């Protein structure tokens, strides 16, 4: 998921819940290096965390592990429900293990059967965040079970949109969002990233609509209301994804293309036409792409994130279609997940930095290879500034890469820490041993752990066997431990710099001193990066005269770039610059991307008048917001 730097999509809402007593079955063996770190325990200041235990799942893969799903679902847009069944193939660690425990949330379980015969099942106690465990009693010889069910209209991982909420205004739209623990709201399954499954699916839809999934999609499939999919590679549950809508396809390269509503198709294909080039340079540097095709799906603006790395078909917000490719680092990020995250996966949400830190590092490298060193440097500086902001704002425990999430909602893990701090840690390793050596290490890492889910401790054990053994004079294990288990940014960490921003600093300072008028600032060569650096580093307090001068000179309130508009609207809220409030209102009610709306709601809620304004906008926008966006922001307006 794209959740970092100036495209960060933070969604944090601390909640307490009961923890699973599940034990882990993580396979930490690699083809080149044999590692056993699954029983490691990490000592924190407060207590001990068992490495590899998923505290956010009720399921019991150490006893019975699901290996394959066969979905058969119909999309009922009138009732806003997915209805049908799922057949789960499984293996048992012992023949006497006869109770399968699945994760569910808000599902109506109609029956559970083996070979057509109903078997006993019971639903456990409901938890507000984890949902409800489903206990199934299995016959001794069974290796497959079928669960008939339907989803709730309020399923946390499914959004149903009316025609009015789409670009075309003619047809409804459905999309799912499973990360972190929302797959259980539309499939009863073992909803843990350490459980990898293959799957196939048959999806029935209204005949005018097209279904696509994070699986094999045929661009030429007839639009007949029934669609079949296969995913032959084992993936974690949070990467299972479905979308249904009035979609068309346009190729961008031999292995890349874009699905979108007709109104967005051409602009999206033009904006993201460099995707094939990104794919090629990443393969050359980090090893072969192992997922057949890499296509994009452009979702309606209610999508709560910038992007989601669903394999073979990344889900993308339309808010990054800027017309000048200025925001395409998001595409590089989701593509990079095809190596770090989808192929090598965090085993628990405590280990998210293994997904996102590696992916953010790869994102910067891809952008450098495709667009040059200057752009890479500017984006790295902006990312580092966002990391500094989070370090200043977060509690110490939330600044740790291997975060303790016990007793918390797993969505609390999403901040700049796993993304930017994780990438900065890897950049330090690169600087110390050299880029070529580090690239070779990463290529081997992706090969050794391909299609496996690993823990932080498995990774450290891997470093012991590889880089720490190969470069004892350049790397220090205590330093690595500090990066992973201590808060903040270690002293002497590599600090990104960009000479291009020196000019922006001088220009901003001259304007603030009154040495130059806003209308006389030459911005002809500025990209989105210069604008964000200029705006994000202004003083918090500015006068109406200063704000009006900037607005009149550069039409910032009317900016069509959603990132620039966001930064400007934040400044407007902080200074109660009322000429921007009409745009602020329309911005909040038309965009559901959490990264763009949450900071504005938070800032508005600091004053009585602002909170009233926020509540009015939120109440109008709520029917079109994704459940995750609603949950993340309703506390600011109530």
């Amino acid at each position: 998921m794209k959740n970092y730097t100036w495209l960060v999509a933070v969604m944090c809402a601390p909640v307490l819940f009961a923890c699973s007593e599940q034990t882990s079955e993580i396979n930490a063996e690699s083809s080149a290096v044999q590692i056993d770190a699954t029983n490691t325990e990490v000592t924190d200041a407060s207590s001990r965390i068992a490495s590899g235990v998923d505290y956010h799942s009720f399921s019991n893969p150490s006893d019975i592990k699901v290996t394959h799903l066969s979905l058969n679902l119909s999309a009922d847009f009138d009732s806003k429900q997915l209805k049908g069944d799922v057949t789960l193939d499984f293996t048992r660690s012992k023949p006497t293990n006869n109770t399968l425990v699945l994760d569910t949330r808000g599902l109506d379980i109609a029956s559970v059967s083996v070979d057509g015969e109903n078997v006993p099942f019971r639903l456990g106690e409901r938890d507000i965040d984890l949902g409800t465990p489903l206990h199934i009693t299995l016959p001794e010889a069974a290796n497959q079970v079928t669960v008939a069910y339907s989803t709730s209209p309020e399923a946390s991982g499914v959004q149903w949109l009316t025609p009015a909420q789409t670009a075309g205004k003619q047809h409804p739209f459905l999309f799912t969002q499973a990360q972190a623990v929302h797959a259980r709201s539309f499939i009863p399954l073992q909803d843990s990233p350490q459980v990898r499954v293959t799957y196939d699916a048959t999806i029935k839809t209204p005949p005018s609509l097209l279904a696509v999934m994070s699986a094999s999609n045929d661009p030429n499939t007839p639009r007949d209301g029934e669609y079949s999919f296969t995913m032959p590679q084992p993936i974690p549950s949070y990467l299972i994804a479905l979308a249904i809508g009035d979609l068309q396809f346009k190729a961008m390269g031999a292995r890349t293309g874009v699905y979108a509503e007709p109104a967005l198709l051409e602009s999206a294909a033009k904006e993201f036409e460099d995707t094939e080039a990104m794919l090629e340079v990443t393969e050359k540097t980090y090893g072969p792409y192992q997922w057949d095709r890499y296509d994009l799906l452009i979702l309606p603006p209610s999508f709560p994130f910038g992007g989601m790395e669903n394999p073979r078909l990344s889900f993308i917000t339309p808010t990054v279609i800027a017309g000048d490719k200025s925001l395409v680092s998001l595409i590089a990020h989701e593509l990079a997940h095809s190596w770090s995250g989808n192929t090598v996966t965090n085993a628990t949400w405590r280990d998210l930095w293994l997904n996102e830190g590696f992916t953010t590092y790869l994102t910067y490298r891809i952008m450098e290879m495709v667009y040059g060193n200057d752009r890479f440097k500017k984006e790295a500086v902006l990312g580092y500034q966002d990391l500094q902001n989070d370090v200043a704002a977060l509690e110490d425990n939330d600044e740790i890469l291997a975060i303790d999430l016990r007793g918390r909602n797993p969505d609390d893990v999403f901040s700049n820490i796993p993304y930017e701090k994780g990438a900065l840690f890897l950049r330090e390793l690169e600087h110390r041993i050299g880029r070529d050596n580090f690239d070779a290490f990463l290529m081997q890492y992706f090969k050794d752990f391909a299609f496996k889910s690993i823990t932080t401790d498995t990774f450290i054990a891997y470093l012991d066997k590889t880089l720490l053994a190969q470069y004892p004079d350049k790397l220090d294990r205590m330093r690595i431990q500090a990066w992973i288990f201590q808060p903040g940014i270690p002293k002497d960490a590599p600090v990104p710099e960009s000479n291009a921003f020196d000019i922006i600093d001088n220009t901003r300072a001259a304007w603030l001193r009154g040495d130059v008028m806003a209308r006389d600032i030459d911005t002809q060569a500025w990209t989105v990066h210069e604008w964000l650096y200029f705006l994000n580093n202004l003083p918090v307090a500015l006068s109406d005269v200063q704000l009006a001068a900037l607005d009149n000179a550069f039409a910032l309130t009317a900016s069509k770039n959603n990132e620039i508009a966001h930064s400007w609207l934040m400044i407007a809220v902080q200074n109660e610059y009322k000429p921007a409030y009409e745009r602020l209102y329309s911005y909040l009610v038309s965009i559901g991307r959490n990264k763009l709306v949450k900071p504005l709601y938070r800032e508005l809620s600091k004053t009585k008048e602002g909170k009233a304004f926020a509540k009015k906008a939120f109440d109008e926008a709520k029917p079109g917001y994704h459940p995750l966006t609603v949950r993340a922001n309703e506390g600011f307006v109530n």
Side-chain angles (χ1 to χ4, degrees), residues 210-406:
L210 176 67
V212 292
M213 292 193 76
S214 56
S216 56
N217 292 284
D218 180 3
N220 299 314
T221 187
R223 193 172 296 215
D224 58 7
E226 184 171 326
Y227 305 96
S228 297
F229 306 91
T230 59
M231 169 50 77
Q233 293 98 339
I235 62 172
S237 55
Y238 74 88
L239 292 178
I240 299 173
L242 166 68
I244 301 171
D246 180 20
L247 299 170
Q248 294 183 359
F249 176 82
K250 185 176 179 64
M252 297 186 295
R255 291 175 292 174
T256 59
V258 60
Y259 290 89
E261 293 184 74
L264 296 174
L265 186 64
E266 293 298 328
S267 60
K270 179 64 177 176
E271 191 82 1
F272 306 134
E273 65 184 357
D274 297 332
T275 303
E276 189 84 25
M278 293 180 181
L279 176 58
E280 291 172 355
V281 299
T282 311
E283 279 192 309
K284 182 178 179 180
T285 309
Y286 299 114
Y289 179 75
Q290 302 192 63
W291 302 92
D292 188 26
R293 294 190 56 82
Y294 181 73
D295 295 321
L296 308 176
L297 170 65
I298 311 305
L299 292 171
S302 61
F303 185 53
F305 302 114
M308 182 62 209
E309 63 270 18
N310 303 312
R312 299 178 181 238
L313 186 67
S314 288
F315 285 18
I316 305 296
T317 173
T319 64
V320 295
I321 303 175
D324 58 4
K325 302 182 183 179
S326 60
L327 305 179
V328 297
S329 65
L330 184 138
I331 305 302
H333 185 91
E334 305 311 333
L335 170 64
H337 268 302
S338 301
W339 285 260
S340 53
N342 296 5
T343 300
V344 184
T345 305
N346 53 237
T348 73
W349 297 112
R350 175 177 187 253
D351 309 301
L352 178 70
W353 76 275
L354 292 173
N355 278 22
E356 299 297 353
F358 279 72
T359 297
T360 302
Y361 173 84
L362 262 61
T363 301
Y364 286 129
R365 294 292 306 280
I366 294 169
M367 294 301 291
E368 182 179 14
M369 289 186 284
V370 176
Y371 297 104
N373 190 251
D374 288 344
R375 178 160 177 175
F376 154 70
K377 288 182 176 180
K378 289 186 285 189
E379 294 188 353
V381 168
L382 292 169
Y384 185 75
Q385 288 192 341
D386 281 341
L387 174 59
Q388 288 179 305
N389 291 337
D390 267 13
V391 168
L394 294 171
E395 299 291 334
D396 283 355
N397 289 341
D398 286 345
E399 297 172 15
I400 295 170
L401 288 179
I403 185 175
D404 184 0
L405 285 171
R406 292 174 297 172

Side-chain angles (χ1 to χ4, degrees), residues 184-201:
R184 64 191 67 178
S185 74
F186 57 94
I187 307 171
L189 77 179
Q190 293 179 328
D191 196 9
S192 171
Q194 63 190 243
V195 179
R196 305 182 72 107
V197 298
T198 55
Y199 79 86
D200 61 79

Side-chain angles (χ1 to χ4, degrees), residues 163-205:
Q165 294 168 324
T166 67
K169 311 299 182 186
Q170 299 296 315
H171 301 278
F173 203 107
L174 171 154
F175 66 86
T176 65
Q177 169 56 41
Q179 196 178 37
V181 294
H182 302 285
R184 64 191 67 178
S185 74
F186 57 94
I187 307 171
L189 77 179
Q190 293 179 328
D191 196 9
S192 171
Q194 63 190 243
V195 179
R196 305 182 72 107
V197 298
T198 55
Y199 79 86
D200 61 79
T202 298
I203 306 296
K204 298 180 179 66
T205 76

